[in-house]
Amino acid sequence: PITVQDVRDVAAQLGITIAPKDEADFHVLLAALHEGAVALDALEDDVPVVDLERFPRVGGRFATPEENENGAWAYKVTIEAQPPIAGPLSGRTICIKDNITVAAIPCQLGTSVFTNWHPPTDATVVTRVLAAGGTIVGKAVCENFSMSGSSFTAASGPVQNPYAKGWTAGGSSSGCGYLVGSGEVDLGIGGDQGGSIRLPAAFCGLVGMKPTYGLVPYTGIVSLDASIDYTGPMTRTVLDNAVLLKVLAGTDGLDDRQMGAPTPELVPDYAELARHGHEFGVRGMRIGLLKEAFELPCVEPRMTEKVKLAALRFRELGAVVDEVSVPMHLLAPTLWGGMRQGMAEQSVLANQTGRRGVYLTDLPGLITPLTQDKWDKFSPISQNLLINNVYLKSHHPGQYGKAQNLFRALRRAYDGLLASYDVLITPTTPFVANTNPGPGDSILVKVAKSAGETLNTAPFNGTGHPAMNLPIGWLPALEVDMEDPDGSVMLPVGMQLVGKFWDEGTLYRAGAAWEKRWDWKTDGV
């Protein structure tokens, strides 16, 4: 089926012309490649096998409108071990972000570009939750291709904030934010490529942990950029978060992001470290308020005041709290802009190269080739990121590599402080949740809803440090509730705790000590 015209078409994609005298030779070579490609396509793939008898999928269905009034469910199904397993998650319900594969269950990625993807395998985190006795009760809505920090871009519609309908739940793990924040589900597993665990955690009053890069295997989860892919727990308490991370963490022998990570049996008992914080507080701990994190554009003065007051409370628990400085933190948004050249390469753009791991080989063909009809089904935020990607490749081809190099320098700067301090503190978000836009709002209005959200979260995706949101209190919304214009909408405030590589335990100890002393809902700052 390969002709000389195919050779010419490929050359045109490269922007070059092949000399007529060479076309026949390249035709022979391309035809030989095609024969090999057809042979490879015919081979059975090799992905982790799922024991559907031990872990049956029961009652799978799309949620009814009555069940999904707040837009958080992507799919409902019950999965638990048969016979039941007694483990650390026994009796707990768990929702899974809908970019995490669950065999034989639809995975939608918050898009309508395709509607028929049923992955052939379970993500490692799914396997581990079930082996720990947990009960998965469904897939939680994921924002459009995991590309939004707000909660209005999923094809299924907006996800609501559990404390104020009409306000954002944050993204892209928006469904987990609502379902766990409302108490409908006990625990959630989100994904984070710039703040997508910590943003919804901050907006929905949750503890959300982005672990150290590579601590939790990303096997079987749709990637945006393998250098910034993370998955982790979203819970209502620090102790629950610690229990779930212990279940999820450790190498699986499949994900090459996990260089330097411990094997599961060597993962610390995070729950014990959290209990240590409950019992003994943080006496002797050194905590640094990162000065530049409060000076970035978009950080509201009232947010600065709130987070600093919450951080200073650690002094009452026996810690030293100082203001510290990393001037390069102010450059992090510029570095993050360069990372846009790599966004969605392995998923939307189907460039599945350069990694050793489990590839989701049936997904790219559902998205590519990109057509106008498919493009029109992307959210404006996803469209913008793809335009950014292509533009940077064409006009600034070294941006991505330079951003990666400079993130290494930024890591050294943070590490320099963390040699003397146990925890660094920033606001998680510059502001509290804002309202979801209307369907008729302009692209700029929609993009503006997320502008600045990741100023203090994305840097730690780039450097790899563990970072956790801790809810600390409330602030009134700046926007008016049109259904109750005389009322005052109160929304959660989050404080971000950042630690040394592989030292999630210290973050849990600090967070648990704060949480034990003050209930953020009733006596937070």
Side-chain angles (χ1 to χ4, degrees), residues 320-332:
V320 172
V321 180
D322 297 324
E323 184 177 79
V324 297
S325 178
V326 174
M328 195 177 178
H329 185 78
L330 294 172
L331 293 177

Side-chain angles (χ1 to χ4, degrees), residues 238-482:
V238 173
L239 184 57
D240 277 351
N241 206 278
V243 170
L244 183 51
L245 183 63
K246 168 68 172 173
V247 168
L248 302 178
T251 56
D252 68 353
L254 297 170
D255 183 3
D256 67 355
R257 298 170 184 82
Q258 295 199 274
M259 183 175 63
T263 58
E265 59 271 17
L266 295 179
V267 170
D269 187 344
Y270 299 122
E272 184 59 33
L273 294 166
R275 293 187 190 99
H276 185 87
H278 279 167
E279 186 171 353
F280 300 107
V282 291
R283 188 163 302 281
M285 193 177 286
R286 292 174 58 83
I287 294 174
L289 280 168
L290 185 59
K291 174 177 175 286
E292 290 77 12
F294 298 89
E295 298 174 349
L296 286 162
C298 303
V299 179
E300 294 181 357
R302 62 186 192 146
M303 182 67 75
T304 291
E305 180 184 9
K306 202 82 165 176
V307 173
K308 285 186 175 180
L309 285 172
L312 290 174
R313 284 187 170 184
F314 280 115
R315 287 178 177 168
E316 300 178 40
L317 302 176
V320 172
V321 180
D322 297 324
E323 184 177 79
V324 297
S325 178
V326 174
M328 195 177 178
H329 185 78
L330 294 172
L331 293 177
T334 301
L335 307 188
W336 193 247
M339 295 294 292
R340 289 169 179 254
Q341 184 178 324
M343 289 293 180
E345 282 290 320
Q346 291 199 356
S347 55
V348 177
L349 298 178
N351 293 328
Q352 295 198 335
T353 60
R355 311 297 306 180
R356 286 183 179 271
V358 175
Y359 282 85
L360 302 171
T361 57
D362 50 348
L363 175 60
L366 299 175
I367 304 172
T368 57
L370 191 59
T371 63
Q372 186 65 49
D373 179 64
K374 291 177 181 177
W375 173 258
D376 291 341
K377 293 176 180 177
F378 282 69
S379 77
I381 293 176
S382 300
Q383 291 173 336
N384 182 50
L385 284 172
L386 290 176
I387 290 171
N388 293 169
N389 178 312
V390 174
Y391 173 82
L392 287 174
K393 282 180 185 173
S394 300
H395 295 83
H396 302 275
Q399 287 267 300
Y400 181 84
K402 190 168 188 178
Q404 290 282 14
N405 288 343
L406 290 174
F407 266 122
R408 195 165 56 249
L410 183 58
R411 174 182 170 178
R412 290 196 300 270
Y414 294 140
D415 285 345
L417 275 183
L418 289 166
S420 303
Y421 289 85
D422 301 290
V423 176
L424 303 180
I425 285 181
T426 80
T428 305
T429 59
F431 41 79
V432 293
N434 52 33
T435 54
N436 286 319
D441 285 339
S442 71
I443 289 176
L444 285 180
V445 167
K446 291 177 178 178
V447 172
K449 288 292 183 178
S450 300
E453 280 182 341
T454 65
L455 288 173
N456 280 320
T457 54
F460 303 105
N461 289 79
T463 64
H465 294 86
M468 179 179 79
N469 179 73
L470 182 72
I472 57 167
W474 305 88
L475 278 172
L478 291 178
E479 298 161 282
V480 175
D481 184 352
M482 300 309 296

